[in-house]
């Protein structure tokens, strides 16, 4: 079974994946890192320069297919992974538990203040909020479990996930 972490940019997926990987002694991957490897880039600005968001989604889809047969890994996803159902389906194949790290828009804005690495944050705050509002039901819909990422620390979230999945491994 794979453990798949979803959530908006800045919700803490990478930090939690890293901690959980140590806690459970299973490997983790980051879809963003795999995108960089596959496209010979170093950051999302370079990926977007190659073909914009559409290109990123295509590469995410290809990566998800490659990982479709792998089992027992933790997958930290890019915030837009929920935009293509088939990508998420592949990442949870043959079995996976999806955890949504649910952070409020305010928390996210605080955490990502001054961030230059995320092309989608180059829009106005109200446009980022629109993106957040549009995505929220998608995260909710795909989540097997929703974790409040405002009140729990990354360490606490990792511990919770470990407890929730310990029967499945
Ligand atoms: C994106 C989130 C980013 C990255 C890219 C697009 C998104 O990942 O994949 O900049 O569409 O929300 P993080 O969620 O790790 O920031």
């Amino acid at each position: 079974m794979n453990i798949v972490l979803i959530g908006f940019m800045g919700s803490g997926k990478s930090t939690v994946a890293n901690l959980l990987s140590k806690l459970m002694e299973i490997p983790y991957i980051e879809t963003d890192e795999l995108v960089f490897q596959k496209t010979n880039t170093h950051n999302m600005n370079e990926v977007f320069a190659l073909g914009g968001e559409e290109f990123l989604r295509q590469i995410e889809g290809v990566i998800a297919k490659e990982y479709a047969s792998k089992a027992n890994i933790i997958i930290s996803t890019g915030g837009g992974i929920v935009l293509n159902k088939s990508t998420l389906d592949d990442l949870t194949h043959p079995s996976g538990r999806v955890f949504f790290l649910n952070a409020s828009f305010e928390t996210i804005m605080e955490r990502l203040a001054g961030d230059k690495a995320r092309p989608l944050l180059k829009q106005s705050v109200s446009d980022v909020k629109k993106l957040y509002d549009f995505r929220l039901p998608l995260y909710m819909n795909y989540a097997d479990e929703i974790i409040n990422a405002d009140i729990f620390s990354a360490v606490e979230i990792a511990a919770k996930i470990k407890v929730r999945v310990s029967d499945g491994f």
Side-chain angles (χ1 to χ4, degrees):
M1 185 179 79
N2 290 335
I3 299 172
V4 179
L5 306 182
I6 62 171
F8 205 72
M9 296 172 263
S11 57
K13 294 162 290 181
S14 302
T15 310
V16 170
N18 196 316
L19 291 165
L20 189 60
S21 166
K22 289 181 186 136
L23 204 59
M24 298 192 67
E25 297 180 337
I26 55 173
Y28 84 98
I29 59 157
E30 298 219 25
T31 59
D32 283 357
E33 287 301 325
L34 298 174
V35 167
F36 301 152
Q37 283 171 25
K38 197 163 247 344
T39 58
N40 261 320
T41 54
H42 306 93
N43 56 59
M44 272 304 155
N45 292 318
E46 288 181 17
V47 175
F48 272 57
L50 285 177
E53 186 178 349
E54 185 51 38
F55 177 64
L56 167 63
R57 303 302 164 214
Q58 277 171 22
I59 303 294
E60 284 176 335
V62 171
I63 287 166
K65 289 230 171 331
E66 288 172 4
Y67 274 78
S69 57
K70 300 235 189 332
N72 289 2
I73 50 170
I74 298 160
I75 304 172
S76 173
T77 62
I81 211 86
V82 288
L83 295 173
N84 290 305
K85 184 177 182 303
S86 64
T87 301
L88 208 59
D89 285 347
D90 283 336
L91 291 178
T92 50
H93 179 87
S95 71
R97 190 87 64 92
V98 179
F99 290 87
F100 167 34
L101 275 50
N102 188 12
S104 66
F105 187 68
E106 290 69 29
T107 298
I108 281 164
M109 285 293 100
E110 252 173 52
R111 286 191 193 157
L112 297 182
D115 183 282
K116 298 268 182 287
R118 293 172 168 92
L120 292 177
L121 292 181
K122 289 182 181 154
Q123 347 173 39
S124 67
V125 175
S126 69
D127 283 345
V128 179
K129 176 76 165 72
K130 278 186 199 140
L131 194 63
Y132 179 92
D133 290 341
F134 174 76
R135 296 231 185 121
L136 193 57
L138 298 177
Y139 297 129
M140 294 283 191
N141 183 43
Y142 286 122
D144 295 308
E145 313 243 357
I146 300 167
I147 301 186
N148 188 325
D150 281 343
I151 61 171
F152 296 115
S153 69
V155 171
E156 289 168 327
I157 294 172
K160 274 177 189 300
I161 295 176
K162 184 180 178 203
V163 170
R164 300 298 290 157
V165 299
S166 51
D167 293 346
F169 279 89

